[in-house]
Amino acid sequence: MKKRKVPASVKDPKLLEYRRNQIIKASVRLIKEKGYHRTTTREISKESGFSIGALYEYIGKKEDVLFLVCDYIYDEVNERLESNLDTTKLKGIERLKVVISSYFRVVDGLQDEIIIMYQDVKALPKDALLYVLNKNNLMMESIEKVIRECVAEKIIDLNEKQIKLTAHNIIISGHMWAFRRWALKELYTIDEYIDLQTDQLLLGLLRQNEK
């Protein structure tokens, strides 16, 4: 997918990436505390460690900050999922377990970012929103691909709608670790949560196969 460009007057790609990472981290801290709409670009620039004028060397408008946060989240998720799948020789259900575990661990490391994305993504302009939604589709396709491999190996028996719903269930189960963390962390470690959710997800798939 073609990368959506955010306006910048800085031409050095390494400096641009470094400063934007500062902006993303600062923005997440502020938005978590105050919310996106109550956070100002002046506050973001101060938290990032440079002037408001310098901030606008790396973005064009405030919505670009939210876009950079959302884009960063999906890049991290997709890269880690692909990396874990590329390095494993496992197949079938064991490969699906790797997908679930990898995704949940990414969520564990990006809890605040994921909550912000869900709460504020609607504030993005239409073109940015469509781009972010397409990034979500790429993530879904990675998970669906592994589920289809299990179907092809006749480990589970699902039709196309069931495959897509299973992928959505995996996504939502992962996100629940972020949304319900205040309650779940009183009960489970991340390892326990992964094991229990994986068992429940796979039990439902294998039962479906028995029908």
Side-chain angles (χ1 to χ4, degrees):
M1 182 172 60
K2 186 177 180 181
K3 188 80 172 177
R4 180 182 182 272
K5 292 184 178 181
V6 172
S9 59
V10 174
K11 303 304 179 185
D12 183 338
K14 289 185 178 180
L15 178 60
L16 184 62
E17 181 181 7
Y18 177 75
R19 292 301 189 194
R20 281 185 171 172
N21 283 337
Q22 286 182 288
I23 293 169
I24 289 167
K25 291 177 183 178
S27 300
V28 168
R29 289 193 295 268
L30 289 169
I31 295 171
K32 176 188 173 185
E33 179 184 347
K34 302 182 62 176
Y36 170 72
H37 292 289
R38 294 199 309 168
T39 298
T40 67
T41 51
R42 188 169 297 279
E43 289 171 327
I44 292 170
S45 67
K46 183 178 179 181
E47 186 75 10
S48 301
F50 36 81
S51 69
I52 185 70
L55 177 69
Y56 281 102
E57 293 179 3
Y58 302 97
I59 63 170
K61 52 190 175 181
K62 182 183 174 184
E63 288 87 349
D64 290 337
V65 173
L66 180 59
F67 170 76
L68 289 173
V69 171
C70 293
D71 196 37
Y72 166 78
I73 293 168
Y74 279 119
D75 280 346
E76 281 292 297
V77 173
N78 287 325
E79 286 173 13
R80 293 190 200 184
L81 277 178
E82 290 300 323
S83 175
N84 286 333
L85 288 176
D86 288 344
T87 56
T88 181
K89 295 181 180 179
L90 298 173
K91 294 184 178 181
I93 289 294
E94 294 305 314
R95 187 172 172 84
L96 183 55
K97 286 181 180 179
V98 170
V99 170
I100 296 170
S101 177
S102 297
Y103 181 71
F104 284 18
R105 291 189 189 281
V106 174
V107 171
D108 184 49
L110 297 171
Q111 294 176 46
D112 292 333
E113 289 90 334
I114 286 172
I115 290 173
I116 288 169
M117 182 182 68
Y118 264 88
Q119 290 176 339
D120 298 306
V121 70
K122 59 184 178 293
L124 289 173
K126 186 176 180 180
D127 67 315
L129 178 58
L130 289 174
Y131 178 89
V132 168
L133 293 177
N134 283 332
K135 278 285 187 77
N136 178 73
N137 290 338
L138 289 176
M139 180 179 64
M140 292 290 295
E141 287 171 8
S142 294
I143 296 174
E144 289 172 12
K145 179 182 176 183
V146 178
I147 298 170
R148 287 192 181 91
E149 290 172 357
C150 292
V151 173
E153 295 170 22
K154 300 188 183 303
I155 299 169
I156 53 178
D157 183 18
L158 301 176
N159 60 36
E160 185 60 22
K161 287 187 176 182
Q162 290 169 328
I163 288 171
K164 290 186 176 296
L165 184 59
T166 299
H168 278 289
N169 284 338
I170 291 171
I171 295 293
I172 295 303
S173 296
H175 287 175
M176 188 166 70
W177 180 250
F179 290 128
R180 298 281 298 174
R181 58 186 173 181
W182 55 271
L184 292 173
K185 288 189 176 181
E186 294 292 322
L187 300 170
Y188 316 108
T189 65
I190 182 60
D191 292 327
E192 290 171 333
Y193 183 77
I194 289 171
D195 288 344
L196 288 168
Q197 284 286 16
T198 301
D199 286 346
Q200 288 201 2
L201 287 163
L202 296 182
L203 180 61
L205 292 178
L206 294 172
R207 280 181 174 173
Q208 179 71 26
N209 201 41
E210 293 172 357
K211 291 182 180 179

